[in-house]
Amino acid sequence: MSSGQVVVVMGVAGTGKTTVGRLLAAALHLPYAEGDAFHPPANIRKMAAGVPLDDADRLPWLDAVGDWARRTGDRGGVVAASALKRAYRDRLRAAAPGAVFVHLTGDRELIRRRMTAREGHFMPPSLLDSQFAALEPLRPDEAGVTVDVTGTPEEITARAVTALAALGTGGRPGGG
């Protein structure tokens, strides 16, 4: 991983994007941004009511996340953002061309249990199926890594750090 790189911690709701994102930012000595903070209030209300966002809802949010990523400049940063579809990731890469993605993945039932156990979050577990339906996993031509979410947040973060280190400077395995 090169300095000044933006790392997007992505995945469906409940995979631990916020927790792992914060730990990853600390491990990489980079600033952290919470993607949920970029949602307009209407998006939060919609999700809290159990209504999935559509592409039109997500575009202003993606642009705000992308603007943050672009503004990090040479210092880089880590941002937690679902980035479920390739088109969303392409939009983020257009704003921050060197962005690398850490796709947090896991068993649907494990993620559902985690969502049910968390308190104070606007995203209800009832939206998990819509998240999985929208998910387009990272493709081999995308700069990024896939990290399983079993284990502690520290173990997941350690796997992410190791996987990112293996990417090399080109954002793909082997540095190319």
Side-chain angles (χ1 to χ4, degrees):
M1 235 197 76
S2 63
S3 64
Q5 195 153 39
V6 172
V7 178
V8 180
V9 180
M10 63 165 283
V12 300
T15 54
K17 294 182 296 291
T18 296
T19 301
V20 172
R22 286 183 177 139
L23 291 169
L24 186 59
L28 299 175
H29 308 288
L30 293 172
Y32 173 77
E34 174 52 50
D36 286 342
F38 296 101
H39 274 297
N43 282 8
I44 301 292
R45 285 192 301 274
K46 191 171 183 179
M47 289 183 283
V51 179
L53 300 180
D54 59 27
D55 288 350
D57 296 321
R58 287 189 179 100
L59 292 182
W61 170 72
L62 287 164
D63 290 342
V65 172
D67 186 55
W68 177 87
R70 182 188 49 74
R71 286 185 288 112
T72 64
D74 293 338
R75 72 175 193 241
V78 175
V79 61
S82 55
L84 297 175
K85 294 182 180 182
R86 170 72 183 252
Y88 303 164
R89 296 187 296 273
D90 288 347
R91 195 170 186 105
L92 293 173
R93 275 190 291 271
V100 173
F101 294 82
V102 173
H103 181 186
L104 299 181
T105 64
D107 175 75
R108 187 183 298 236
E109 285 312 307
L110 169 66
I111 295 167
R112 186 178 305 283
R113 284 193 306 273
R114 288 180 178 179
M115 283 185 77
T116 302
R118 69 184 180 181
E119 297 178 9
H121 197 278
F122 61 84
M123 176 73 90
S126 62
L127 288 181
L128 184 58
D129 289 339
S130 71
Q131 293 264 298
F132 273 106
L135 177 63
E136 296 173 3
L138 282 177
R139 296 181 188 156
D141 66 322
E142 292 185 88
V145 298
T146 300
V147 178
D148 184 79
V149 297
T150 55
T152 67
E154 292 77 14
E155 291 167 337
I156 298 163
T157 302
R159 287 195 297 270
V161 168
T162 299
L164 286 169
L167 285 179
T169 59
R172 289 179 181 74

